[in-house]
Structure formats: structure tokens, C-alpha cells
Amino acid sequence: MKGLCILGATGSIGVNTLDVASRHPDKYKIVALSANSQVERLVELCIKYQPEYAVIADENLLEDLEKQLNNINSSVKALSGIEGLETIASLPQVDYVMAAIVGAAGLKPTLAAARSGKRILLANKEALVMSGQIFMDEVKKNNAELLPIDSEHNAIFQCLPEHYDKGLAESGITKILLTGSGGPFRTKAISELSDITPNQACAHPNWSMGRKISVDSATMMNKGLEIIEACWLFNTNPDNIQVVIHPQSVIHSMVQYSDGSVLAQLGQPDMRTPIAHALSWPERIESGVEKLDLFAIAKLEFEKPDYERFPCLRLAEESIRKGGTAPAILNAANEVAVASFLDNKLKFLDIAYIVEQTLKNLPSRAAYSLNEILEDDLSARKEAEQLIKLRVEEF
Ligand code: NDP
């Protein structure tokens, strides 16, 4: 029986994780759940899954959470804030931590899981994008296990040989082929993109996801963040990663070998497959996902990515080549710009502009510790907010 902590339980990945885990009550025990502000939803999950701990990240809502748990005579222990999240990620009775908080807020609790030597099921790509080497060092030092949940990275992991950590070239790998659907605006005229609304951007053709990652998919910043994530997870660099646009989202990514073989992982666009894979690895469990019907799909297509249409791809690649705190600056500026867009304050095409200007205005530096990363994350947020203010005043 493995004890499971789900950071971000009320979100899209969190709910899918609970769905898969609850199909196997003999294998997984839900020990702890967290949310940011959805107290009622968190309490509903507590009633259904009976964890030992519930954490509400927004400290102002702890009293409300305690009151609601009291009203139902629940014995669930309520905690709050970053400390509460770090506590549940490090509990001795927790074996697996699903890192499914969105954005930079997930960094510290995910690092706490690494420092406690847990199996980390990593959905929160922003944490790895920001802290790269520091995060990977903590995983290694503390014998933690890092299993990717992002469907692309999970697919790559499934297509790699067992000892790929000796080096991709040494393992006979010539390229990682990172697929992406191209999002909802792959074929839309660029002139029509300026007036895109948040709801249009969040209507992904194949995947149902949280709003932030949906916008990232529409700008293709998501693919950019995934390039950075792949560099850290698989110890490689952008020269060895080719983004392949594959509109059907049936192939979740591929690995090309020196003998000409290309291994691919295929499946439905349903996150329960990578979640089940990472929960049960190296075994396999039932996930509730519908079987793939190749005859119904009939056709698979591939295209080169369009870097003009999607400047965020270029910005992400440039930032990982630059290294140090540059990816953290890129990520922070993007989080601020996306939040502003979702709030109807910034235009869709200005997301890339804000990220690019923030990277231009703020010099990055080497990241020796978390301090440099968190300081530059904060400076980038302030800079991006200032740039957005100026941009809004221009119109
Ligand atoms: P959602 O927006 O659906 O859920 C986010 C979760 O994080 C919620 O539980 C939310 O709580 C919580 N949260 C939000 N802000 C904070 C904060 N400041 N502090 C603590 N908790 C917070 O996101 P997704 O599930 O879509 O995505 C989660 C992560 O997984 C992202 O990093 C994303 O890139 C990655 N991912 C997602 C995929 C998907 O299919 N959805 C696919 C691959 C990767 P509350 O509900 O209270 O706001």
C-alpha cells in the first residue's frame, strides 16, 4: 500500500489522479490533499477520500476550512500556507507525491518532496523549469524518484532504454521528438489572433486542462516549457530535441535511435494514462482510459513548428540556452502575462511581447541556490506587471 499526497487536488490533474488511485484502493491510500482557495471543493474531496490531512494554501482560508471540517465532524487535520504544503509533501506515511500545483507556487513543496526522498509524479513543469539543476541535484542527493506526468515526457520516458541516465548519445539516441498538437490557433490567420478571448484560448482541440496550461498551449509556451523540462529530465540540450506538430495528439512523443528506429508511445489524449503509468511504474494498472481505436483515427499528420506564429517557442529555447535564472524569468513573466490575459487586461498576442521585453530588461545570472532563482522570479513578476501597465495605457 502506497501513501499518496496530492498537491493541487482540486485541479484537473489532481482530480484525474484521484480517479486513477481510487480504482485501486488495495494499492494507494490517500494521505493528504491540497487546494489553493476552493475550500468547499477540498472539503468535498475530504468527505469522499478521507485523507489524514487537508491543506489550503491561502492562509486566510484556514479558519473556514477548519469550520467546514468541524461541521461534518471530520477528523481530517487542516493546515495552511507553504509550510502546510511542505509538511504534507514530507510526511513519513507519504510514499508518492503528485506535484500538480500550477505555476511557481509548486516549487517549494515539490522540492520538499525531493528532499524527503519521495517518488515525485511531476506535473508541475514550472517548478523544474525554474530550478533545473538545483531540483535535479536534490532528487539525486536524496534518492528521490522523478517520474514525468506531462504526457510528452511520460511518453519519452516510456520509449527510453532503462539506463538512459548514462547519456542519450551513449544509449544510441540521436533525437527526442517532442510532439505537440499546435493548440487551437495552429491554422488561424495571424491577423485574427489579436482579438482572441480567454475562452477561445482555453478551448483546446484535444485536451481538457486547467486554464493556465490551456493558454500556454495556445501560445505554445507550453511546448517551450516542455523543451526546458525535457532538457533537465533527460540530461540533454535543445539541439537534441525536435518539436513535431502532430494535430491528432495520438502519438505523445518519440525517441529516435542511431540505427534508424523511432519508438513512439500512443494513446488517447487522457491524462489518466501517464498518471497510472507513473503511479504503478514499473508495473501497469488499469486507468479507466478508453482503448485506442486506430481504425477510427485512420490518419496521423506531422508538421514543422512555426516559430513566427509562436514566438514563445523561440523565447523558451533561448532561455534554456542562456541558462542560470533565465528560464525562471521567462516562466515568471509568462505567469503574470497569462494571468493578465485571463483577466481580460492583456491581449493574447501581447503575452509573448511581455515575456520577451522582461527577458530583455532583466539580466539573468548564474543560479547557485534557490535564493537567486526566487529573487529573479520576483523581479521578473514586478517588471512584467510594469510592462503590462504601460502596454494597457498605450491602448
Ligand atoms: P488547474 O488550474 O486545474 O489546478 C491547479 C491546482 O493548483 C488546483 O488544485 C489549485 O487550487 C492549486 N493552486 C493554484 N494556485 C496555487 C497556489 N498559489 N498555491 C497552492 N496551490 C495552488 O491546473 P492543472 O491541473 O491543469 O495543471 C497543474 C499542473 O500540471 C501545471 O503545472 C500544468 O502545467 C501541469 N500539467 C497539466 C496537464 C493537464 O492536462 N491539466 C497536462 C500536463 C501538465 P484551487 O482549485 O483551490 O485554485
Side-chain angles (χ1 to χ4, degrees):
M1 187 70 110
K2 298 294 182 189
L4 182 57
C5 162
I6 305 179
L7 302 171
T10 46
S12 162
I13 293 287
V15 167
N16 277 308
T17 306
L18 286 164
D19 180 285
V20 176
S22 59
R23 289 168 191 272
H24 305 278
D26 54 322
K27 288 188 165 65
Y28 308 106
K29 179 178 173 353
I30 311 297
V31 176
L33 301 174
S34 87
N36 184 40
S37 58
Q38 293 201 72
V39 176
E40 270 175 38
R41 185 77 191 105
L42 184 59
V43 172
E44 279 167 22
L45 295 179
C46 288
I47 295 170
K48 190 161 175 193
Y49 297 103
Q50 300 290 321
E52 292 172 37
Y53 291 85
V55 177
I56 193 79
D58 183 339
E59 291 173 345
N60 299 320
L61 297 171
L62 177 62
E63 217 180 294
D64 190 10
L65 175 63
E66 285 173 333
K67 210 192 268 169
Q68 291 201 33
L69 287 171
N70 242 339
N71 289 347
I72 53 164
N73 287 328
S74 168
S75 59
V76 175
K77 295 180 201 83
L79 302 173
S80 70
I82 285 283
E83 277 176 24
L85 295 169
E86 288 176 330
T87 300
I88 57 169
S90 322
L91 290 168
Q93 63 272 45
V94 164
D95 303 288
Y96 296 175
V97 175
M98 167 55 80
I101 289 174
V102 60
L107 175 59
K108 283 186 175 171
T110 311
L111 265 176
R115 288 181 181 134
S116 314
K118 308 296 186 196
R119 172 179 288 196
I120 302 167
L121 311 157
L122 186 75
N124 179 208
K125 67 193 89 187
E126 296 93 340
L128 189 55
V129 164
M130 288 173 74
S131 66
Q133 192 64 58
I134 290 166
F135 188 87
M136 295 308 287
D137 288 348
E138 290 292 350
V139 167
K140 204 167 174 187
K141 196 166 90 193
N142 298 290
N143 286 323
E145 267 182 311
L146 187 56
L147 290 172
I149 291 297
D150 234 327
S151 61
E152 294 79 359
H153 303 74
N154 184 271
I156 294 161
F157 180 77
Q158 293 196 46
C159 297
L160 287 172
E162 195 180 345
H163 297 294
Y164 70 86
D165 52 351
K166 69 182 176 194
L168 293 192
E170 291 74 7
S171 304
I173 292 154
T174 47
K175 262 241 156 33
I176 285 176
L177 305 175
L178 184 69
T179 59
S181 68
F185 309 136
R186 181 176 57 91
T187 54
K188 213 174 173 68
I190 296 185
S191 57
E192 287 176 38
L193 293 182
S194 57
D195 291 322
I196 289 298
T197 64
N199 282 345
Q200 284 173 307
C202 288
H204 195 280
N206 306 332
W207 295 92
S208 157
M209 308 181 283
R211 282 171 83 75
K212 192 261 178 182
I213 185 176
S214 296
V215 177
D216 284 349
S217 297
T219 61
M220 284 202 79
M221 178 59 93
N222 183 49
K223 210 48 55 190
L225 298 177
E226 286 179 7
I227 294 174
I228 302 174
E229 185 184 9
C231 287
W232 290 115
L233 284 173
F234 309 121
N235 191 18
T236 189
N237 62 65
D239 293 337
N240 299 327
I241 301 173
Q242 172 66 56
V243 173
V244 177
I245 302 300
H246 165 47
Q248 290 82 12
S249 298
V250 169
I251 295 179
H252 297 310
S253 275
M254 298 171 263
V255 175
Q256 185 184 68
Y257 286 83
S258 51
D259 61 4
S261 301
V262 175
L263 301 193
Q265 187 261 356
L266 286 71
Q268 295 283 3
D270 187 323
M271 288 309 292
R272 289 176 300 174
T273 295
I275 291 168
H277 173 265
L279 274 174
S280 62
W281 185 81
E283 285 163 20
R284 299 272 176 175
I285 52 170
E286 203 274 321
S287 65
V289 173
E290 207 182 307
K291 301 290 170 274
L292 197 62
D293 180 351
L294 288 173
F295 299 117
I297 293 159
K299 193 164 86 172
L300 298 178
E301 294 164 305
F302 307 99
E303 294 166 11
K304 282 196 171 154
D306 180 346
Y307 280 72
E308 288 218 353
R309 177 183 289 268
F310 298 114
C312 288
L313 263 180
R314 169 180 55 80
L315 295 172
E317 272 195 31
E318 283 170 5
S319 80
I320 184 66
R321 285 185 202 281
K322 212 166 182 189
T325 57
I329 293 173
L330 168 105
N331 177 67
N334 182 57
E335 280 189 28
V336 171
V338 171
S340 234
F341 167 69
L342 284 172
D343 216 9
N344 286 305
K345 289 189 182 132
L346 188 71
K347 288 197 172 274
F348 179 75
L349 290 175
D350 281 343
I351 296 174
Y353 166 82
I354 296 297
V355 175
E356 182 149 31
Q357 286 307 311
T358 307
L359 281 161
K360 271 190 189 150
N361 294 357
L362 274 186
S364 60
R365 53 180 165 154
Y368 298 111
S369 71
L370 210 52
N371 286 347
E372 289 91 13
I373 292 166
L374 294 177
E375 278 172 17
D376 285 10
D377 169 90
L378 192 63
S379 309
R381 281 169 201 274
K382 286 187 186 151
E383 182 64 26
E385 269 158 23
Q386 194 56 29
L387 286 164
I388 290 169
K389 216 169 136 214
L390 292 174
R391 194 72 172 167
V392 171
E393 280 165 10
E394 269 175 39
F395 292 100

Coordinates of all heavy atoms in Angstrom, one line a residue, residues 148-160 179 234 251-255 263-266 274 277:
P148 N 7.9 11.6 -14.9 CA 7.1 12.7 -15.6 C 5.7 12.4 -15.8 O 5.3 11.3 -16.2 CB 7.9 12.8 -16.9 CG 8.7 11.6 -17.1 CD 8.8 10.9 -15.8
I149 N 4.8 13.3 -15.5 CA 3.4 13.2 -15.8 C 3.0 13.9 -17.1 O 2.0 13.4 -17.8 CB 2.6 13.8 -14.6 CG1 2.8 13.0 -13.4 CG2 1.1 14.0 -14.9 CD1 2.2 11.6 -13.5
D150 N 3.7 14.9 -17.5 CA 3.4 15.6 -18.7 C 3.3 14.4 -19.8 O 4.3 13.6 -19.8 CB 4.6 16.5 -19.1 CG 4.1 17.9 -19.4 OD1 2.9 18.0 -19.9 OD2 4.8 18.9 -19.1
S151 N 2.3 14.4 -20.6 CA 2.1 13.2 -21.4 C 3.3 13.0 -22.4 O 3.7 11.9 -22.7 CB 0.8 13.3 -22.2 OG 0.9 14.5 -23.1
E152 N 3.9 14.1 -22.8 CA 5.0 14.0 -23.8 C 6.2 13.4 -23.1 O 6.9 12.5 -23.6 CB 5.4 15.4 -24.3 CG 4.4 16.1 -25.2 CD 3.3 16.7 -24.4 OE1 3.2 16.6 -23.1 OE2 2.3 17.3 -25.0
H153 N 6.5 13.9 -21.9 CA 7.7 13.4 -21.1 C 7.5 12.0 -20.6 O 8.5 11.2 -20.6 CB 8.1 14.4 -20.0 CG 8.3 15.8 -20.6 ND1 7.2 16.5 -21.0 CD2 9.4 16.5 -20.9 CE1 7.7 17.7 -21.5 NE2 9.0 17.7 -21.4
N154 N 6.3 11.7 -20.3 CA 6.0 10.3 -19.9 C 6.2 9.4 -21.1 O 6.7 8.3 -20.9 CB 4.5 10.3 -19.3 CG 4.2 8.9 -18.8 OD1 3.7 8.1 -19.5 ND2 4.5 8.7 -17.5
A155 N 5.7 9.9 -22.2 CA 5.9 9.0 -23.4 C 7.4 8.8 -23.7 O 7.8 7.7 -24.0 CB 5.3 9.7 -24.6
I156 N 8.2 9.9 -23.6 CA 9.6 9.8 -23.9 C 10.2 8.8 -22.9 O 11.0 7.9 -23.3 CB 10.3 11.2 -23.8 CG1 9.8 12.1 -24.9 CG2 11.8 11.1 -23.8 CD1 10.0 13.6 -24.6
F157 N 9.9 9.0 -21.6 CA 10.4 8.1 -20.6 C 10.1 6.6 -21.0 O 10.9 5.7 -20.8 CB 9.7 8.4 -19.3 CG 10.2 7.6 -18.1 CD1 11.4 7.8 -17.5 CD2 9.4 6.6 -17.6 CE1 11.8 7.0 -16.4 CE2 9.8 5.8 -16.5 CZ 11.0 6.0 -15.9
Q158 N 8.9 6.4 -21.5 CA 8.5 5.0 -21.8 C 9.3 4.5 -23.0 O 9.4 3.3 -23.2 CB 7.0 4.9 -22.1 CG 6.1 5.2 -20.9 CD 4.7 4.7 -21.1 OE1 4.4 3.7 -21.6 NE2 3.7 5.6 -20.8
C159 N 9.8 5.4 -23.9 CA 10.5 5.0 -25.1 C 12.0 4.9 -24.9 O 12.7 4.5 -25.8 CB 10.2 5.9 -26.3 SG 8.5 5.9 -26.7
L160 N 12.5 5.4 -23.7 CA 13.9 5.4 -23.5 C 14.4 4.0 -22.9 O 13.6 3.3 -22.3 CB 14.3 6.4 -22.4 CG 14.2 7.9 -22.9 CD1 14.4 8.8 -21.8 CD2 15.3 8.1 -24.0
T179 N 6.3 15.9 -29.4 CA 5.1 16.2 -30.2 C 4.2 17.3 -29.5 O 4.3 17.4 -28.3 CB 4.2 15.0 -30.6 OG1 3.8 14.4 -29.3 CG2 5.0 14.0 -31.4
F234 N 16.0 14.6 -19.0 CA 16.7 13.6 -19.8 C 18.2 14.0 -20.1 O 18.8 13.5 -20.9 CB 16.0 13.3 -21.1 CG 14.5 13.0 -20.9 CD1 13.5 13.7 -21.4 CD2 14.2 11.9 -20.0 CE1 12.2 13.4 -21.2 CE2 12.8 11.6 -19.8 CZ 11.8 12.4 -20.3
I251 N 0.1 10.3 -31.0 CA 1.4 10.0 -30.5 C 1.8 11.1 -29.5 O 1.7 12.2 -29.8 CB 2.4 10.0 -31.8 CG1 2.0 8.9 -32.7 CG2 3.9 9.9 -31.3 CD1 2.9 8.9 -34.0
H252 N 2.3 10.6 -28.3 CA 2.5 11.6 -27.3 C 4.0 12.1 -27.3 O 4.3 13.0 -26.5 CB 2.1 11.1 -25.9 CG 0.6 10.8 -25.9 ND1 -0.3 11.8 -26.3 CD2 -0.2 9.7 -25.6 CE1 -1.5 11.3 -26.3 NE2 -1.5 10.1 -25.9
S253 N 4.8 11.4 -28.0 CA 6.2 11.8 -28.3 C 7.0 10.6 -28.7 O 6.5 9.5 -28.6 CB 6.9 12.5 -27.1 OG 6.6 13.8 -27.0
M254 N 8.2 10.8 -29.2 CA 9.0 9.7 -29.8 C 10.5 9.9 -29.5 O 10.9 11.0 -29.1 CB 8.9 9.7 -31.3 CG 7.4 9.5 -31.8 SD 7.3 9.8 -33.6 CE 6.7 11.5 -33.6
V255 N 11.2 8.7 -29.6 CA 12.7 8.8 -29.4 C 13.3 8.1 -30.7 O 12.9 7.0 -31.0 CB 13.1 8.0 -28.1 CG1 14.6 8.0 -28.0 CG2 12.5 8.7 -26.9
L263 N 11.0 5.0 -31.7 CA 10.0 4.4 -30.8 C 9.0 5.5 -30.4 O 9.4 6.6 -30.1 CB 10.6 3.9 -29.5 CG 11.7 2.8 -29.7 CD1 12.0 2.1 -28.4 CD2 11.2 1.7 -30.7
A264 N 7.7 5.2 -30.4 CA 6.7 6.1 -30.1 C 5.8 5.6 -29.0 O 5.6 4.3 -28.9 CB 5.9 6.5 -31.3
Q265 N 5.1 6.4 -28.2 CA 4.1 6.0 -27.3 C 2.8 6.6 -27.8 O 2.7 7.8 -28.1 CB 4.4 6.4 -25.9 CG 3.4 5.8 -24.8 CD 2.3 6.8 -24.4 OE1 2.3 8.0 -24.9 NE2 1.4 6.4 -23.6
L266 N 1.8 5.8 -28.0 CA 0.5 6.3 -28.5 C -0.6 6.1 -27.4 O -0.4 5.2 -26.5 CB 0.0 5.5 -29.7 CG 0.7 5.7 -31.1 CD1 2.1 5.2 -31.1 CD2 -0.1 5.1 -32.2
P274 N -0.8 8.7 -18.4 CA 0.5 8.9 -17.7 C 0.5 8.9 -16.2 O 1.4 8.5 -15.6 CB 0.9 10.3 -18.3 CG -0.3 10.9 -18.9 CD -1.1 9.8 -19.3
H277 N 0.6 5.3 -15.3 CA 1.9 4.8 -15.6 C 2.9 5.1 -14.4 O 3.6 4.3 -13.9 CB 2.4 5.3 -16.9 CG 3.9 5.0 -17.2 ND1 4.9 5.8 -16.8 CD2 4.4 3.8 -17.6 CE1 6.0 5.2 -17.1 NE2 5.8 4.0 -17.6

